[in-house]
């Protein structure tokens, strides 16, 4: 809770006038407890889980009906109906209500312990961006090892097999998992803010961005215009789709965001071999088509 009664008092304490955003934040949060603000995470996660995959639903329905977007579908032989995708969403919402929501409600003491602040001043972009980058790096590295554990015999058979029910991922399947997996993967997500705590707004943004990234990775589509194509070492949908396609026997492409861990520890060899093979097949096909074109012209 902001320890000032008026905007003027806050301005005097900061030694400057509040920015427009800081004034809006003061008007909204000044009388609200930090616990109440933290619980906004529940609303943000619900909105992300519900709305972020919707464009992908429309793309899948358009592709199934008319063949649009076929060229971008990673596994074009797989089609999902509206009822298939809605069924996945219902399962995700059950997990949200029974596990994710209650976890948010009881985890506030950890936020207090690590020192995430909710007052003034608000964080600047030069503060937020490095923190978010660090959060992604920490989550990616720790998630890699948790994911490898999930692909051990015991981890897969007892926990991770649920997530792999979708061998061709869809956006709504990003958070589709066993309750124990949801809890365990919360640890890598929380480690970044625990090591480099920031403002509550940065924490909200981190949680939302991480889930949106997971939805994009599970989209089932490789769109060439995606801005993530310009992020160095970013895995993306095509990279993670291979992991789901191989399924329970997969010992490849464990990375959640970046690819450097798979490269360093040699867990992308199967994927790289397949890519090399596909490139050779495409090149051979192009040469064959050129030769046929030359024969016809003669």
């Amino acid at each position: 809770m902001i320890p000032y009664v008026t905007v003027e008092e806050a301005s005097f304490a900061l030694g400057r006038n509040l920015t427009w955003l800081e004034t809006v934040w003061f008007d909204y949060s000044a009388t609200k407890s930090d616990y109440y603000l933290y619980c906004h995470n529940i609303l943000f996660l619900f909105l992300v889980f519900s709305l972020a995959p919707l464009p992908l639903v429309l793309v899948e329905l358009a592709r199934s009906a008319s063949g649009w977007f076929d060229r971008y579908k990673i596994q074009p032989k797989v089609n999902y109906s509206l009822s298939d995708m809605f069924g996945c969403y219902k399962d995700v919402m059950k997990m949200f209500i029974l596990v994710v929501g209650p976890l948010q409600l009881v985890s506030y003491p950890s936020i207090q312990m690590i020192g995430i602040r909710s007052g003034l001043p608000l964080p600047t972009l030069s503060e937020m961006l490095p923190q978010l980058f660090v959060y992604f790096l920490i989550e990616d590295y720790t998630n890699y090892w948790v994911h490898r554990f999930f692909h051990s015999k015991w981890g897969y058979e007892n926990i991770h097999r649920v997530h792999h029910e979708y061998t061709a991922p869809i956006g709504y399947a990003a958070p589709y998992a066993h309750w124990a997996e949801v809890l365990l993967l919360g640890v890598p997500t929380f480690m970044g803010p625990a090591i480099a705590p920031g403002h509550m707004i940065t924490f909200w943004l981190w949680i939302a961005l991480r889930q949106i990234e997971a939805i994009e990775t599970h989209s089932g589509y490789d769109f060439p215009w995606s801005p993530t194509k310009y992020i160095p070492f970013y895995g993306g949908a095509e990279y993670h789709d291979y992991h789901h396609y191989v399924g329970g026997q997969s010992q490849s492409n464990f990375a959640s965001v970046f690819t450097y861990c798979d490269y360093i520890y040699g867990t992308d060899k199967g994927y790289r071999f397949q890519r090399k093979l596909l490139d050779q097949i495409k090149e051979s096909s192009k040469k064959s088509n050129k030769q046929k074109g030359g024969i016809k012209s003669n």
Side-chain angles (χ1 to χ4, degrees), residues 25-41:
W25 178 251
F26 180 91
D27 291 339
Y28 179 73
S29 66
T31 59
K32 296 177 175 65
S33 69
D34 287 349
Y35 177 69
Y36 180 85
L37 294 173
Y38 172 68
C39 287
H40 282 49
N41 259 338

Side-chain angles (χ1 to χ4, degrees), residues 249-261:
Q249 303 303 315
S250 176
Q251 293 297 319
S252 185
N253 295 24
F254 294 114
S256 64
V257 182
F258 304 108
T259 60
Y260 67 94
C261 279

Side-chain angles (χ1 to χ4, degrees), residues 44-45 47-49 51-53 56 74 132-133 135-141 143-144 147 163 169-175 185 188-189 204-221 223 226-229 231-241 244 253-260 262:
F44 296 145
L45 285 172
L47 291 175
V48 169
F49 287 164
L51 300 181
L56 298 169
I74 299 170
L132 290 170
F133 178 66
Y135 295 172
F136 270 108
L137 285 179
I138 293 172
E139 192 278 342
D140 185 66
Y141 187 79
N143 184 292
Y144 172 86
H147 198 177
H163 183 65
I170 55 175
Y172 278 124
L185 288 180
T189 302
W204 289 346
L205 187 59
W206 156 240
I207 296 298
L209 286 175
R210 178 63 186 92
Q211 297 308 317
I212 291 170
E213 186 278 329
I215 290 167
E216 194 267 346
T217 299
H218 288 82
S219 67
Y221 287 86
F223 297 120
S226 173
T228 56
K229 292 283 186 182
I231 300 176
F233 306 109
Y234 183 77
E238 192 263 346
Y239 187 84
H240 192 67
D241 201 280
H244 276 262
N253 295 24
F254 294 114
S256 64
V257 182
F258 304 108
T259 60
Y260 67 94
D262 281 314

Side-chain angles (χ1 to χ4, degrees), residues 150 152-162 178-180:
F150 283 147
S152 65
K153 181 177 175 59
W154 186 92
Y156 188 85
E157 291 179 355
N158 291 281
I159 300 176
H160 196 49
R161 61 177 176 78
V162 175
H178 190 282
W179 64 266

Side-chain angles (χ1 to χ4, degrees), residues 42-152:
I42 299 175
L43 174 62
F44 296 145
L45 285 172
F46 171 76
L47 291 175
V48 169
F49 287 164
S50 300
L51 300 181
L54 274 182
L56 298 169
V57 171
L58 298 178
V59 167
E60 182 68 16
L61 294 177
R63 189 189 74 86
S64 299
S66 62
W68 293 355
F69 303 108
D70 257 349
R71 70 179 72 179
Y72 307 121
K73 180 75 172 180
I74 299 170
Q75 296 187 46
K77 293 182 179 179
V78 179
N79 295 302
Y80 287 111
S81 66
L82 182 61
S83 62
D84 292 332
M85 293 181 280
F86 184 65
C88 180
Y89 173 70
K90 286 195 297 184
D91 289 335
V92 167
M93 282 299 104
K94 288 178 186 175
M95 185 64 63
F96 181 84
I97 293 169
L98 297 174
V99 179
V100 177
L103 179 63
Q104 294 295 312
L105 291 173
V106 302
S107 59
Y108 176 66
S110 62
I111 295 297
Q112 284 182 305
M113 181 180 66
I114 64 176
I116 288 180
R117 63 186 183 88
S118 62
L120 297 173
L122 291 183
T124 61
L125 277 178
S126 61
E127 177 185 342
M128 292 173 68
L129 292 179
Q131 285 181 324
L132 290 170
F133 178 66
V134 168
Y135 295 172
F136 270 108
L137 285 179
I138 293 172
E139 192 278 342
D140 185 66
Y141 187 79
T142 50
N143 184 292
Y144 172 86
W145 292 105
V146 175
H147 198 177
R148 285 192 70 166
F149 161 73
F150 283 147
H151 276 268
S152 65

Side-chain angles (χ1 to χ4, degrees), residues 271-287:
Y271 169 75
R272 283 191 284 146
F273 176 79
Q274 187 210 43
R275 283 296 303 270
K276 184 178 179 181
L277 192 62
L278 287 175
D279 289 343
Q280 289 175 348
I281 292 172
K282 288 178 182 178
E283 188 64 30
S284 177
S285 178
K286 286 180 182 178
K287 289 180 180 179

